[in-house]
Amino acid sequence: MSWFKRKTKGITTTTEEKKDTPKGLWYKSPTGKIIDTEELEKNFYVSPEDGYHVRIGSREYFQILFDDNKFKELDANLDSKDPLKFEDTKKYPDRLKAAQAKTNLKDAVRCAVGKSKGKDLVIACMDFNFIGGSMGSVVGEKIARAADYALKKKIPFMIISKSGGARMQEAALSLMQLAKTSAKLAQLADANIPYISLSTDPTTGGTTASFAMLGDINISEPGALIGFAGPRVVRDTTGQELPEDFQTAEFLLEHGFLDFITERRDLKNKVNLYIDLITNQPLRV
Amino acid sequence: MLTKIKLNSMEYLEFELPIKELQEQLEKCQIIGEESEVDVTETCKQIEEKLLKTKKEIYKNLTAWQRVQLSRHPNRPYTLDYIKALCGDSFLELHGDRNVKDDKAMIGGLGKIGDQTYMFVGQQKGYNTKTRQYRNFGMSNPEGYRKALRLMKSAEKFNIPVVTLIDTPGAYPGLEAEERGQGEAIARNILEMTRLKVPIICVIIGEGASGGALGIGVGDRVLMLENTWYSVISPESCSSILWRSWEYKEQAAEALKLTAPDMKKLKLVDDIIKEPLGGAHIDREKTFLTVRDAIEKNYNQLKNLSPKELVKERMDKYANMGVFKG
């Protein structure tokens, strides 16, 4: 027996009377848990029941890591060009414009300096929403300049990676950003300034072949996908069945590439604990 | 009640049986006192005195083999016990060799003793069958030594002193270990440790078996806890190779001169850290405090040396090891 009985057949509500559910009130995690978005935000964008770490961008990471969400953005106005006159299904400049309009971001990385637990920290944080967090000349230049800033002011440096890899629309110019950013990190290392690399879901391709794997500590969040070649490519090339946890943060930890995995709620404390320890300073509470 | 729990959880070695007997008698006596209102204070006191005397007699005259047994006592504190006691919440464990694996038999990380950060590295054993397997019985693979080196180089970069805690029955003798270059990994560590530009303090807290121990054992100060052993081979293996039988392990232990006093006499280690009567496991807190003091004392002696002086002294120390004629 049904609980409700339809008295009249068909849909009787007129289109004008129909009520829309506002978008963004609820979030559904991949395991099917439905969460109030406000609650999700309060929980560091981690689904409370299953611990799923929702993909977030620079806005949220800055909010989590900088005290009172206060920071100064560095080189905010750097803009991409189209040196190769690249065209796939869309012209590259059109693609950039569309991405900028959609995401309200200039490119796939934002850099900022601010206080974290009372001490200066420079963070370069990638945004996956912007053309898959792909790394072109602007991403390379902004990261290099942020590293320069950290170098000049002797401030610990952190990169939060979240990227599909190199930006094809910039071809080899994009590839060379791997070398450019790595060279900067070498300078930072020579000056003994701590560099922390946080790989978040997903960190793949060129980013893993450069700054994401070059930290004094490499850390990650639970369940994040991290790898050089994508799982599909590996499966098709080798013909091998891949382990279930292939290229997860846990897989990388087991294989020696991560120093530790941290829950997002502990991120700020763990990063600053490391900085205090490695610089031999009193621990901040 | 407390003594009873302690008694049940404490494991005794064969030569400790007289102690176990007296301990049981003392406990019985206390129970009688509690349950029957008979005044047993005097008897208890007498047994306690006898217990102390017996302990002193036994532990003052330990043979080499008995010390080997004590160094492997199942209740003995392991590397992480020391680190947690020394650093508390300040300890941040770091993983991985950035190459193939995170070796569970070798652990490491940063932690504070007082105001000073140290980089800790050490072999870790397990507490029960499951964790012993997980820790591979404290036997590292090449990736363990490479993880240790990575952490020590990181410490050098940031001018953080290194403390190594040694407790291993040996480097893991496995097929994959050989494929990945067990010998190379240990050799590389030894070489790099001789010239690391920060103070290194090594403490043997349990077993110091051969290259597996030396792979994290080159330092400005090498200290041995009183009931540990350090040699080129375990007494059992030595017995089976030279006597062609495992039966001669006591003799082998004696012949190898592997105890802390012998090693100090040979000038192969710098100092001995005293353990509580009966061994480190009898009073863990006291052991941790003594080890903490030893680390701080030795660090204070080293911290004002320039990197150049430090490395020179360390190299001179190792250059002087060895006995020969002509």
Side-chain angles (χ1 to χ4, degrees), chain B residues 24-82:
Chain B
E24 279 168 359
Q25 280 177 13
L26 178 65
E27 197 204 336
K28 271 183 208 157
C29 185
Q30 283 163 340
I31 291 171
I32 291 170
E34 275 167 32
E35 287 176 356
S36 65
E37 291 175 19
V38 177
D39 186 16
V40 289
T41 330
E42 194 54 34
T43 323
C44 278
K45 215 176 133 195
Q46 275 176 7
I47 299 174
E48 262 172 47
E49 274 166 18
K50 200 175 169 199
L51 184 63
L52 188 67
K53 213 177 128 201
T54 314
K55 275 186 184 172
K56 276 185 181 160
E57 254 165 45
I58 288 177
Y59 295 121
K60 280 272 141 61
N61 304 302
L62 288 175
T63 65
W65 175 245
Q66 286 168 341
R67 284 199 199 271
V68 171
Q69 287 176 292
L70 268 182
S71 79
R72 298 170 180 165
H73 198 288
N75 299 120
R76 216 177 153 80
Y78 297 142
T79 296
L80 274 172
D81 299 318
Y82 282 95

Side-chain angles (χ1 to χ4, degrees), chain A residues 189 192-194 213 215-218 253-260 270 273-274 277-278 280-281 283, chain B residues 89-90 92-102 104 110-112 115-117 150 154 157-158 160:
Chain A
N192 296 343
I193 291 167
M213 286 295 140
D216 287 306
I217 51 167
N218 295 337
L253 181 70
E254 183 58 35
H255 286 86
F257 298 101
L258 294 179
D259 284 278
F260 56 83
K270 284 268 181 78
L273 172 63
Y274 172 74
L277 285 168
I278 203 72
N280 201 24
Q281 294 297 310
L283 303 184
Chain B
D89 288 342
S90 74
L92 182 66
E93 190 174 349
L94 303 173
H95 296 270
D97 68 339
R98 302 265 171 104
N99 208 343
V100 290
K101 215 166 184 177
D102 179 46
K104 308 292 190 294
L110 294 161
K112 288 222 180 246
D115 296 332
Q116 178 63 45
T117 304
R150 177 177 83 82
S154 180
K157 176 177 171 185
F158 293 102
I160 300 292

Side-chain angles (χ1 to χ4, degrees), chain B residues 64-282:
Chain B
W65 175 245
Q66 286 168 341
R67 284 199 199 271
V68 171
Q69 287 176 292
L70 268 182
S71 79
R72 298 170 180 165
H73 198 288
N75 299 120
R76 216 177 153 80
Y78 297 142
T79 296
L80 274 172
D81 299 318
Y82 282 95
I83 294 176
K84 282 179 183 157
L86 262 40
C87 307
D89 288 342
S90 74
F91 181 60
L92 182 66
E93 190 174 349
L94 303 173
H95 296 270
D97 68 339
R98 302 265 171 104
N99 208 343
V100 290
K101 215 166 184 177
D102 179 46
D103 195 331
K104 308 292 190 294
M106 182 78 78
I107 61 109
L110 294 161
K112 288 222 180 246
I113 301 179
D115 296 332
Q116 178 63 45
T117 304
Y118 294 87
M119 180 66 86
F120 290 90
V121 166
Q123 289 103 350
Q124 179 65 31
K125 290 177 174 175
Y127 305 87
N128 51 37
T129 312
K130 208 174 156 189
T131 53
R132 274 180 203 123
Q133 269 176 349
Y134 178 75
R135 299 291 183 186
N136 202 28
F137 305 90
M139 293 187 283
S140 294
N141 275 287
E143 50 269 27
Y145 293 100
R146 290 180 183 133
K147 169 179 173 178
L149 183 59
R150 177 177 83 82
L151 296 179
M152 290 190 278
K153 293 297 273 183
S154 180
E156 181 184 44
K157 176 177 171 185
F158 293 102
N159 200 23
I160 300 292
V162 172
V163 171
T164 73
L165 299 169
I166 297 165
D167 187 10
T168 180
Y172 186 57
L175 174 69
E176 288 175 342
E178 294 300 316
E179 283 177 345
R180 294 200 282 268
Q182 187 72 285
E184 196 279 341
I186 293 173
R188 180 77 41 210
N189 277 23
I190 294 174
L191 181 133
E192 293 298 344
M193 288 181 89
T194 62
R195 62 178 182 187
L196 205 75
K197 292 183 186 67
V198 289
I200 308 174
I201 299 164
C202 308
V203 188
I204 291 123
I205 57 167
E207 301 186 85
S210 198
L214 190 63
I216 55 164
V218 176
D220 305 296
R221 294 285 191 274
V222 181
L223 316 171
M224 277 178 88
L225 278 157
E226 202 180 346
N227 298 308
T228 61
W229 68 272
Y230 192 4
S231 193
V232 72
I233 194 167
S234 74
E236 289 96 328
S237 303
C238 175
S239 160
S240 83
I241 292 171
L242 297 181
W243 280 268
R244 305 202 176 274
S245 150
W246 292 75
E247 297 294 304
Y248 298 88
K249 50 188 190 285
E250 283 97 335
Q251 270 161 275
E254 216 56 65
L256 284 167
K257 299 278 174 269
L258 45 62
T259 64
D262 283 333
M263 286 293 282
K264 177 140 193 243
K265 231 178 276 166
L266 291 165
K267 298 202 179 86
L268 300 176
V269 300
D270 299 286
D271 220 338
I272 301 169
I273 301 174
K274 273 197 81 67
E275 289 182 27
L277 192 63
H281 56 288
I282 298 290

